[in-house]
Amino acid sequence: MPIRQMKDNSEQHLVIKNHLQNTMNPIQRTPKTAQNGKGPAAGHEPHNTKQSRNHTSPPTKNKGRRRGRGGRKSDQGDVCMRPSSRHCTVAQKPVNPGSADILAATSNGSIQNDHNLPGMEMGFPTSSKSLNFASRPGFGQVGTKCIVKANHFFAELPDKDLNQYDVTITPEVTSRTMNRAIMAELVKLYKESELGMRLPAYDGRKSLYTAGEFPFSWKEFSVKLVDEDDGINGPKREREYKVVVKFVARANMHHLGQFLAGKRADAPQEALQILDIVLRELSTKRYCPIGRSFFSPDIRAPQRLGDGLESWCGFYQSIRPTQMGLSLNIDMASAAFIEPLPVIEFVAQLVGKDLLSRPLSDSDRVKIKKALRGVKVEVTHRGNVRRKYRVSGLTSQPTRELVFPVDDNSTMKSIVEYFQEMYGFTIQHTHLPCLQVGNQRKANYLPMEACKIVEGQRYTKRLNERQITALLKVTCQRPRDREHDILQTVQHNAYDQDPYAKEFGVKISEKLASVEARILPAPWLKYHETGKEKDCLPQVGQWNMMNKKMINGMTVSRWACINFSRSVQESVARGFCIELAQMCQVSGMEFNPEPVIPIYSARPELVEKALKHVYNASMNKTKGKELELLLAILPDNNGSLYGDLKRICETDLGLISQCCLTKHVFKISKQYLANVALKINVKTGGRNTVLLDAISCRIPLVSDIPTIIFGADVTHPENGEDSSPSIAAVVASQDWPEVTKYAGLVCAQAHRQELIQDLYKTWQDPARGTVSGGMIRDLLVSFRKATGQKPLRIIFYRDGVSEGQFYQVLLYELDAIRKACASLEPNYQPPVTFIVVQKRHHTRLFANSHRDRSSTDKSGNILPGTVVDSKICHPAEFDFYLCSHAGIQGTSRPAHYHVLWDENNFTADGIQSLTNILCYTYARCTRSVSVVPPAYYAHLAAFRARFYMEPEMQENGSNSCSNGQNKGTRVVGESGVRPLPALKENVKRVMFYC
């Protein structure tokens, strides 16, 4: 996330009809309320029909939205939605002892949380096409109007018929590059004679597209390709392919026109896909395509990243339906590629240049094997013959010891002799292993020095810190420079001269889209009455703690410090702790200047032993009272120490910890100490600030009735990790009307599973029968315990969902929310607003004039609070772009919010203003942040939970949670994911503050 803060170290369609009718109590109507995406060596389509009106859940979409501050109809059941006469309080329905109102806290005061048991059942709803996403209720009006430019380029809709043909190539080819070569040869040979002079666009797999029809509906062609890798001189291998082209369908351009005009809700994905492929066809031939981006060393000179990698510049391109019609979204991109070096040079960069004069160590061998596995190399020892192979591994023996049979009599010959006799190639570095190419059954051996890495291979494994820093330097562009490069890219691509664009009648503007925007006002923030400044109005997305005191400063009486840094002497550590204690006091906390025990120094490799020693020693000193805070001083480069410390503290000892790096201990700055004090206060249960409008009960559709705001995210393992689980996290506000404090739960689930499996679940208990549980249910109960109120409205911000997953995620997760509510109390169905938050998109907004300093922040970016909901947004659905933060470096990326489901009938101004002001409540710094805090906290919680996984965990299959259950392994179904260690109760509310 581009935010400055301290660092401690088949698509499915929404449906609910029959499924939910069988699982939930019928919903009663209440009156309206008044608030509104080897042998020898070798050289969506979301088709939405109109929603049925007799669905019981989710409630039917309401017609006739009111355009005021509110206006909502609600299917609430018997939950009282009528605002109380007293501001910010709601009269609760008396709890019937015989009813299922489990929203009250359990008898021992803890949250009921006993759902981590065998026999759990989780059912997916069946699919249906009965729902549309929330439609746009109108456009926002609040804020100062301005003009911004967006990296969208208007695309004129073609007036030609677009046809799709199926392509079958025999023998079957799996490589897209080879498929394209075959089809290019076919077009070259038969364009005039058989194809009616059509210039088709090809997706590289099974589909061919044309503007107008071929003069046939089915035809077989013969294509011969020569293997150019066999060199210039001598005979070349030739292969013949049979290609069958068959008419499939004609794209409905009228449908596309109606969709762009907002008259139809379902996007014609086929037509959009054809146009996207057409506009990518020429770039695919010119550049190296990776996903939706194109890269080339010719766009800008590659920059070395270290360890045999380099950065290539390129551009992202995608056709998008918008309110202004079709739009081509162009953005700059960078990616890490493997340098096209001789393999021997690549390996030398990886493990050191002395490699040529020493034997390989085991660790070197593993590092080289990991780096080269899957990499394509070409031989260099055969003159013009440049055969290509993919590396499958390394030999366990050095080259000089490798032999293989040369005939049926098992006559053996060494690799060194073979290359000398066959090719006149003398292997110099015989102490190095050979590359294994091919598969294990037929492994060929190639000496490293006879191979060169093929150009244009993207590096998909994890980059190290140094490489990340180097890549960021390349990608980090000021807005003016990025805008200039985007315009240059469009001009260089010359879409007006593109033969494919001409063939299909697509015209692309060369001007950035000019878009109406508004700058939403920053909210007033409330601080403690004893400070000189009791409230504060942030300026350009930031403020500071000078003359202010935390609105709820906590007391820290019992704390200890553990020092893992050898370079930090005890006197230095003590001085740092004294300064930090003073800053906490100045900021509004009560902080004991003396630790419970003297500062304890320990070695990083003994982290567990050291932590338990400090914990036990402190408990003995305080006669059984637990520590309220543990300060930890870590080396700047601490490897796994940070993660190990957090895992032990938060899942074993129940300690709240604050880590500080050595560099900050030596160079103490007031700003750093102030930021640490903010984190310590929220970790120990305090609030740093609250929205003035929240405590004055002036936030529409939040302040009128008890409202809970959820944030959810799923993080997936990095590329190359094929079995690690995905981690789901859900956080929810635990105070009302302030909506500042949050509690969080995390859960391990199946590898790369995007749906959050543990939102709601049931299982069979021998004594109690069917038992309900899940993350939503637990957090609803926790809200009731913390506030004394049950939530009467749910706002759910969901991070990390791509457009292709919208239906599937909404289908499953809204159903889980519904079931969780119904399991707590009969007819308990608070209205839900479900919003997807996206940061991984390529829309960028630029100031209309970079010279106008009043329209930009210090970094040259658009001002915080800039919101766009017209022109470049969806033709009919309820979405908007919000840049809620001030830029620091590079070009700010606005967050894209897409309201998929809205039973609270938010106006455009209502949801945009709420989202913007929430971005000022992030607890870890005095800046507005780029993503709404509940979604941000969920992301941090999911990231933190990776530290909880023990190295030996075997991950596959289903899901398991860390919600405070007893420890132990639970496997669901035939295979399962080992559960995360249980979080201690006091950690759930703070683990995402890091």
Side-chain angles (χ1 to χ4, degrees):
M1 303 265 179
I3 300 166
R4 174 174 295 165
Q5 58 193 33
M6 298 174 307
K7 183 179 179 185
D8 290 339
N9 221 67
S10 52
E11 128 194 353
Q12 214 168 349
H13 298 281
L14 191 56
V15 50
I16 313 219
K17 188 175 178 183
N18 297 330
H19 183 74
L20 287 181
Q21 283 175 342
N22 295 332
T23 57
M24 294 177 29
N25 296 307
I27 299 168
Q28 299 173 359
R29 300 272 179 189
T30 52
K32 297 179 187 176
T33 56
Q35 264 291 354
N36 282 350
K38 285 168 177 179
H44 94 127
E45 180 190 359
H47 176 69
N48 305 316
T49 55
K50 195 171 183 180
Q51 180 184 350
S52 171
R53 312 219 179 209
N54 58 4
H55 285 188
T56 54
S57 176
T60 54
K61 300 297 292 176
N62 302 306
K63 289 205 166 190
R65 294 174 183 264
R66 286 183 242 178
R67 293 295 187 269
R69 301 277 300 217
R72 57 186 259 313
K73 296 180 184 176
S74 127
D75 291 316
Q76 257 301 96
D78 61 353
V79 179
C80 174
M81 295 292 291
R82 194 173 291 109
S84 139
S85 58
R86 188 165 66 89
H87 249 348
C88 292
T89 60
V90 171
Q92 292 296 308
K93 185 184 74 170
V95 178
N96 181 349
S99 78
D101 188 356
I102 323 173
L103 275 175
T106 53
S107 58
N108 60 5
S110 64
I111 300 171
Q112 192 160 342
N113 202 351
D114 52 0
H115 50 280
N116 198 9
L117 297 172
M120 180 201 62
E121 295 177 1
M122 287 171 35
F124 283 81
T126 54
S127 177
S128 160
K129 300 178 180 179
S130 58
L131 281 190
N132 295 333
F133 294 143
S135 58
R136 191 180 303 280
F139 296 96
Q141 302 297 323
V142 171
T144 305
K145 293 185 178 180
C146 64
I147 300 294
V148 296
K149 290 177 287 186
N151 58 337
H152 286 243
F153 299 84
F154 177 69
E156 191 174 312
L157 198 64
D159 57 0
K160 301 184 178 183
D161 289 335
L162 305 185
N163 300 278
Q164 179 182 355
Y165 290 83
D166 180 75
V167 173
T168 304
I169 299 175
T170 310
E172 187 177 354
V173 178
T174 56
S175 164
R176 277 195 179 194
T177 304
M178 181 58 71
N179 281 338
R180 289 185 186 282
I182 294 167
M183 294 306 296
E185 185 67 13
L186 184 150
V187 172
K188 178 181 172 184
L189 292 173
Y190 299 106
K191 180 179 177 183
E192 295 183 9
S193 60
E194 304 289 347
L195 303 183
M197 295 300 292
R198 301 284 181 208
L199 181 63
Y202 179 48
D203 71 352
R205 294 205 185 280
K206 291 284 292 177
S207 295
L208 193 71
Y209 303 101
T210 63
E213 296 179 350
F214 283 142
F216 57 82
S217 58
W218 183 98
K219 198 169 190 67
E220 182 178 288
F221 298 88
S222 177
V223 176
K224 292 180 181 178
L225 275 192
V226 174
D227 189 347
E228 297 296 338
D229 291 340
D230 273 356
I232 298 169
N233 302 319
K236 300 176 184 179
R237 291 185 301 173
E238 187 177 71
R239 183 170 293 180
E240 184 173 353
Y241 298 92
K242 298 293 182 185
V243 181
V244 173
V245 177
K246 183 176 71 171
F247 176 79
V248 175
R250 183 175 292 112
N252 190 335
M253 299 306 292
H254 177 67
H255 182 174
L256 177 59
Q258 284 193 312
F259 173 73
L260 293 172
K263 295 177 181 177
R264 289 190 66 158
D266 52 324
Q269 294 295 346
E270 300 91 346
L272 291 171
Q273 184 181 10
I274 293 171
L275 296 174
D276 198 47
I277 289 167
V278 167
L279 291 172
R280 294 169 60 82
E281 188 73 22
L282 192 60
S283 293
T284 300
K285 297 181 189 299
R286 285 179 177 173
Y287 308 116
C288 174
I290 306 286
R292 289 190 169 275
S293 297
F294 300 93
F295 298 93
S296 170
D298 301 326
I299 293 176
R300 194 185 302 162
Q303 301 292 312
R304 284 198 162 184
L305 303 178
D307 291 349
L309 303 185
E310 63 184 9
S311 68
W312 281 19
C313 286
F315 62 95
Y316 167 93
Q317 173 181 301
S318 176
I319 196 89
R320 298 189 60 79
T322 66
Q323 292 171 30
M324 67 180 185
L326 280 181
S327 149
L328 190 65
N329 182 201
I330 301 280
D331 191 24
M332 303 314 295
S334 290
F337 281 74
I338 303 171
E339 281 193 74
L341 298 170
V343 170
I344 205 88
E345 287 185 32
F346 176 84
V347 171
Q349 281 199 32
L350 206 61
V351 298
K353 293 186 177 179
D354 61 341
L355 158 88
L356 303 182
S357 57
R358 64 172 173 83
L360 278 184
S361 67
D362 288 342
S363 62
D364 285 342
R365 189 182 299 276
V366 169
K367 191 172 185 181
I368 295 168
K369 184 178 179 180
K370 187 176 179 182
L372 285 175
R373 182 184 288 154
V375 173
K376 191 179 286 187
V377 297
E378 61 184 8
V379 297
T380 58
H381 64 286
R382 297 178 60 186
N384 291 320
V385 178
R386 306 286 261 191
R387 295 285 301 278
K388 294 181 175 67
Y389 300 91
R390 199 170 291 280
V391 178
S392 57
L394 290 183
T395 59
S396 56
Q397 298 166 286
T399 303
R400 60 174 168 252
E401 296 177 15
L402 290 171
V403 295
F404 63 94
V406 291
D407 54 33
D408 294 338
N409 299 323
S410 297
T411 305
M412 307 302 288
K413 182 171 286 193
S414 73
I415 292 288
V416 175
E417 290 173 334
Y418 178 84
F419 271 80
Q420 181 65 55
E421 294 172 8
M422 189 74 177
Y423 306 112
F425 183 83
T426 303
I427 301 173
Q428 301 288 333
H429 308 291
T430 59
H431 67 290
L432 296 176
C434 276
L435 302 179
Q436 284 183 323
V437 296
N439 53 46
Q440 290 182 345
R441 288 188 299 173
K442 187 180 179 183
N444 296 311
Y445 303 137
L446 289 173
M448 286 187 183
E449 58 203 271
C451 300
K452 181 178 183 288
I453 293 171
V454 175
E455 186 181 57
Q457 296 181 79
R458 188 182 178 192
Y459 184 77
T460 57
K461 302 181 180 74
R462 182 177 185 175
L463 299 177
N464 61 37
E465 296 265 339
R466 190 161 42 86
Q467 291 166 334
I468 291 171
T469 301
L471 186 59
L472 287 175
K473 283 182 180 178
V474 176
T475 59
C476 186
Q477 287 184 291
R478 287 191 171 277
R480 183 198 299 263
D481 299 332
R482 194 182 197 100
E483 180 185 331
H484 176 264
D485 284 357
I486 289 170
L487 286 169
Q488 264 201 334
T489 298
V490 173
Q491 290 166 8
H492 183 263
N493 288 349
Y495 295 103
D496 59 330
Q497 301 300 317
D498 182 338
Y500 294 94
K502 281 185 173 181
E503 172 81 9
F504 284 79
V506 181
K507 296 178 183 177
I508 306 295
S509 168
E510 290 192 350
K511 292 183 179 180
L512 291 160
S514 184
V515 184
E516 291 182 2
R518 291 166 290 113
I519 303 169
L520 301 178
W524 281 89
L525 303 176
K526 177 66 179 169
Y527 283 91
H528 200 273
E529 291 292 327
T530 57
K532 289 184 181 178
E533 292 185 23
K534 299 173 179 57
D535 45 41
C536 162
L537 182 64
Q539 300 298 315
V540 197
Q542 52 193 315
W543 64 103
N544 59 52
M545 286 296 293
M546 289 179 61
N547 301 321
K548 304 176 190 69
K549 290 187 181 295
M550 300 156 176
I551 192 160
N552 297 123
M554 296 302 289
T555 299
V556 176
S557 304
R558 301 179 302 279
W559 62 277
C561 177
I562 187 166
N563 177 18
F564 288 104
S565 179
R566 293 179 182 176
S567 59
V568 176
Q569 297 177 341
E570 186 180 349
S571 58
V572 175
R574 194 184 312 118
F576 174 78
C577 290
I578 290 170
E579 292 270 0
L580 181 57
Q582 289 175 349
M583 179 58 74
C584 289
Q585 291 168 348
V586 168
S587 300
M589 296 181 67
E590 291 185 23
F591 201 101
N592 184 354
E594 293 296 324
V596 169
I597 60 173
I599 294 172
Y600 183 76
S601 295
R603 288 157 50 189
E605 60 269 24
L606 300 176
V607 55
E608 186 166 7
K609 182 179 178 182
L611 289 171
K612 288 183 176 178
H613 168 80
V614 170
Y615 177 80
N616 292 325
S618 301
M619 290 282 280
N620 291 336
K621 189 72 180 287
T622 59
K623 298 179 180 178
K625 293 183 179 179
E626 293 193 348
L627 284 177
E628 294 164 326
L629 178 69
L630 175 70
L631 293 177
I633 299 172
L634 308 185
D636 292 334
N637 297 311
N638 55 72
S640 64
L641 175 60
Y642 177 82
D644 291 341
L645 183 146
K646 292 295 184 181
R647 175 174 52 81
I648 295 164
C649 285
E650 295 172 4
T651 67
D652 189 3
L653 303 178
L655 287 177
I656 303 298
S657 59
Q658 175 61 51
C659 296
C660 304
L661 294 177
T662 296
K663 62 184 178 183
H664 297 306
V665 173
F666 279 122
K667 186 182 178 181
I668 303 175
S669 74
K670 295 290 185 186
Q671 180 65 54
Y672 175 76
L673 293 176
N675 281 350
V676 174
L678 292 177
K679 295 174 74 173
I680 289 174
N681 188 51
V682 293
K683 286 181 180 185
T684 52
R687 289 191 193 90
N688 296 330
T689 184
V690 296
L691 298 166
L692 192 60
D693 277 355
I695 56 177
S696 304
C697 300
R698 292 198 299 261
I699 303 178
L701 291 176
V702 171
S703 299
D704 56 334
I705 55 174
T707 299
I708 186 169
I709 302 179
F710 284 91
D713 191 18
V714 177
T715 63
H716 302 293
E718 294 172 352
N719 289 331
E721 292 186 31
D722 297 329
S723 60
S724 298
S726 294
I727 303 289
V730 180
V731 305
S733 57
Q734 298 293 290
D735 54 352
W736 178 80
E738 296 90 346
V739 291
T740 301
K741 283 185 173 182
Y742 290 82
L745 300 175
V746 290
C747 175
Q749 59 185 41
H751 178 72
R752 298 215 163 267
Q753 170 62 259
E754 182 57 46
L755 303 178
I756 302 178
Q757 302 292 279
D758 219 30
L759 290 180
Y760 175 75
K761 58 188 178 182
T762 60
W763 65 94
Q764 294 299 318
D765 180 87
R768 295 179 292 168
T770 302
V771 181
S772 300
M775 300 160 94
I776 295 291
R777 190 178 191 278
D778 294 344
L779 289 167
L780 290 170
V781 172
S782 178
F783 180 95
R784 172 64 180 260
K785 179 187 171 187
T787 65
Q789 312 264 24
K790 65 182 174 185
L792 299 183
R793 178 185 293 119
I794 293 173
I795 300 171
F796 197 94
Y797 286 99
R798 177 64 156 90
D799 197 3
V801 182
S802 65
E803 289 178 0
Q805 298 168 316
F806 279 5
Y807 269 87
Q808 192 178 14
V809 168
L810 181 62
L811 161 69
Y812 181 76
E813 296 183 5
L814 182 61
D815 183 36
I817 294 168
R818 285 275 177 240
K819 290 178 178 177
C821 293
S823 73
L824 290 166
E825 179 181 332
N827 302 322
Y828 176 56
Q829 289 296 310
V832 177
T833 298
F834 194 103
I835 308 155
V836 167
V837 188
Q838 293 176 304
K839 281 289 283 184
R840 292 185 177 181
H841 61 81
H842 287 269
T843 293
R844 299 292 182 274
L845 303 175
F846 304 100
N848 193 42
S849 170
H850 293 287
R851 295 179 181 177
D852 182 6
R853 295 296 179 188
S854 65
S855 65
T856 63
D857 58 23
K858 290 180 182 178
S859 67
N861 280 289
I862 56 175
L863 294 170
T866 301
V867 64
V868 170
D869 62 0
S870 64
K871 203 161 184 178
I872 61 170
C873 292
H874 195 279
E877 292 170 9
F878 192 179
D879 70 325
F880 59 93
Y881 291 94
L882 172 64
C883 183
S884 52
H885 66 297
I888 297 173
Q889 58 180 359
T891 304
S892 295
R893 187 196 315 240
H896 185 214
Y897 296 90
H898 203 125
V899 183
L900 298 188
W901 187 256
D902 182 23
E903 292 166 347
N904 290 296
N905 279 10
F906 274 98
T907 62
D909 281 328
I911 195 65
Q912 291 166 13
S913 296
L914 172 63
T915 303
N916 184 56
I917 64 176
L918 285 175
C919 290
Y920 288 79
T921 65
Y922 185 68
R924 302 204 306 170
C925 57
T926 52
R927 300 177 66 93
S928 60
V929 291
S930 62
V931 171
V932 68
Y936 201 158
Y937 290 146
H939 175 81
L940 292 173
F943 186 79
R944 163 62 61 80
R946 292 224 168 263
F947 293 137
Y948 301 157
M949 293 192 299
E950 296 169 14
E952 69 275 10
M953 282 179 67
Q954 296 297 317
E955 304 98 347
N956 52 62
S958 189
N959 61 296
S960 51
C961 260
S962 182
N963 300 359
Q965 301 93 331
N966 294 329
K967 286 187 178 181
T969 301
R970 174 175 64 86
V971 176
V972 181
E974 296 180 359
S975 62
V977 172
R978 183 173 172 182
L980 298 172
L983 286 177
K984 295 297 181 182
E985 198 65 35
N986 61 327
V987 172
K988 290 182 187 178
R989 297 175 188 273
V990 300
M991 50 88 75
F992 41 81
Y993 293 126
C994 299

